[in-house]
Amino acid sequence: MLAISVIVLAFIAAKISAKAPPLCTWKSNTGANFDLRTLKLTDSSKTSYNLVDGDIPCTPETEPSYGYAWNFCEPIPAALTPEPCRNMGKYGVVVQYAEFVKGDYYCFILGHFNPKQNELKYNLIDVNDPTKGVTVAYPAGDRCSATDSRLRSASIEVQCANTPAVVVSAQEPATCAYNLVMKSYYGCPTECPVTGNGLCDSHGHCAFDKKAKKPYCFCNEGYSGSACNHKGSSGNSGYDGKSVQIGLLVTLLLIALGLTGGVIYMAYEVQEFRKQQISSHYNSLPGGDREMVETVNFTIN
């Protein structure tokens, strides 16, 4: 009986794990899919996502340079963890650090992540347009302060752009809640493919078709295919804005020609009608159609 229970539990666990999406992937309510796994740093990564601010200008004090470092879906590799955090033995998926004076380190973990304990929260940057990018929220950071029991949290905003990965900014819009911004084509829906040449093969742009309610690559003129990586416009499922504009102009021109022709025809009909009216009026006069001849008789003596 025990063996059967174990088999049943293992089967249920396998079914649940089979249905669970891969870590760092997400399907939004719009149907757009996101895959941030390529942005994940590993021990072999040579660079990290890191941003250091500086002294605030126009203030008499010299503020320390606060730094921010982060990873996706797992803690920052030890080799890429900032030195102040390594010296304090602090490792997390998002950290804030500083060194006030030589040897005086400061490090807060803004976000922990353990797939068995924490759940990632995803959101669209723009709920009406998934091609603007995606936000990943990491909860369960260090305590806010000795007097504030709230836990720090961090969200990473990955804006959809045709670049591998560029760090933009780091802010604290609310106390102990941090927002880190970067740009990457991995922040775009997977429906807009990335090739070796870039997002939409750098021959189009990723946009959301509100009528079809799905994102895809809108190809530039002369390119086609789901990734805009084929020359020629045949079979292109993308949107060719110039062709539509030309079609509209041709339609308007035909309408204008039709109206012009109609006006000319009406003017001709009016002129003919007036001629008929004048002729009819003249013919109705007495003797109007006979030549008047006066006969004069001369007598020669």
Side-chain angles (χ1 to χ4, degrees), residues 207-287:
F208 185 63
D209 188 331
K210 294 183 178 179
K211 186 175 181 180
K213 297 189 180 303
K214 63 179 182 179
Y216 53 81
C217 288
F218 285 60
C219 302
N220 298 337
E221 183 181 6
Y223 290 90
S224 63
S226 61
C228 301
N229 56 343
H230 298 294
K231 287 189 176 182
S233 56
S234 59
N236 184 14
S237 60
Y239 168 79
D240 188 351
K242 188 173 181 180
S243 298
V244 173
Q245 293 173 3
I246 293 174
L248 289 174
L249 288 175
V250 170
T251 302
L252 292 174
L253 179 61
L254 291 175
I255 293 173
L257 290 174
L259 291 174
T260 303
V263 170
I264 293 174
Y265 177 75
M266 290 296 295
Y268 171 77
E269 288 293 320
V270 169
Q271 186 178 11
E272 288 297 313
F273 178 76
R274 287 179 177 175
K275 287 180 180 180
Q276 292 177 6
Q277 289 293 98
I278 293 172
S279 176
S280 176
H281 178 70
Y282 178 73
N283 291 335
S284 66
L285 294 176

Side-chain angles (χ1 to χ4, degrees), residues 48-66:
S48 62
Y49 307 121
N50 200 311
L51 179 67
V52 178
D53 60 16
D55 177 43
I56 301 175
C58 304
T59 59
E61 300 84 5
T62 300
E63 290 83 8
S65 296
Y66 291 96

Side-chain angles (χ1 to χ4, degrees), residues 19-246:
K19 291 183 179 179
L23 193 63
C24 245
T25 64
W26 179 58
K27 184 174 183 178
S28 70
N29 292 332
T30 63
N33 293 278
F34 295 87
D35 188 347
L36 302 174
R37 289 176 292 180
T38 307
L39 292 174
K40 189 187 301 183
L41 300 175
T42 64
D43 291 331
S44 61
S45 300
K46 296 181 179 180
T47 58
S48 62
Y49 307 121
N50 200 311
L51 179 67
V52 178
D53 60 16
D55 177 43
I56 301 175
C58 304
T59 59
E61 300 84 5
T62 300
E63 290 83 8
S65 296
Y66 291 96
Y68 299 86
W70 62 90
N71 196 9
F72 287 87
C73 305
E74 65 181 39
I76 304 169
L80 298 177
T81 297
E83 183 180 0
C85 297
R86 287 204 310 271
N87 291 338
M88 294 181 68
K90 287 195 170 186
Y91 299 91
V93 70
V94 186
V95 298
Q96 180 192 50
Y97 62 93
E99 185 176 2
F100 293 99
V101 294
K102 187 66 175 177
D104 185 9
Y105 299 110
Y106 162 99
C107 180
F108 276 119
I109 296 177
L110 307 184
H112 285 286
F113 180 67
N114 184 334
K116 297 180 180 180
Q117 299 176 357
N118 310 119
E119 181 181 357
L120 290 177
K121 294 182 179 180
Y122 299 89
N123 287 292
L124 294 175
I125 295 176
D126 184 339
V127 294
N128 297 314
D129 187 355
T131 62
K132 297 298 183 183
V134 63
T135 297
V136 187
Y138 295 101
D142 285 346
R143 183 169 172 157
C144 195
S145 68
T147 58
D148 191 339
S149 60
R150 290 178 299 171
L151 299 179
R152 298 171 186 264
S153 63
S155 62
I156 302 176
E157 182 177 300
V158 188
Q159 299 175 354
C160 175
N162 191 15
T163 184
V166 175
V167 174
V168 177
S169 64
Q171 296 180 335
E172 186 180 1
T175 304
C176 295
Y178 302 84
N179 186 48
L180 314 171
V181 180
M182 60 186 295
K183 293 183 178 182
S184 172
Y185 37 54
Y186 297 113
C188 305
T190 57
E191 287 79 4
C192 296
V194 176
T195 70
N197 202 35
L199 179 66
C200 299
D201 204 48
S202 293
H203 294 135
H205 65 280
C206 184
F208 185 63
D209 188 331
K210 294 183 178 179
K211 186 175 181 180
K213 297 189 180 303
K214 63 179 182 179
Y216 53 81
C217 288
F218 285 60
C219 302
N220 298 337
E221 183 181 6
Y223 290 90
S224 63
S226 61
C228 301
N229 56 343
H230 298 294
K231 287 189 176 182
S233 56
S234 59
N236 184 14
S237 60
Y239 168 79
D240 188 351
K242 188 173 181 180
S243 298
V244 173
Q245 293 173 3
I246 293 174

Side-chain angles (χ1 to χ4, degrees), residues 294-300:
E294 182 180 358
T295 303
V296 178
N297 296 321
F298 292 94
T299 302
I300 302 176

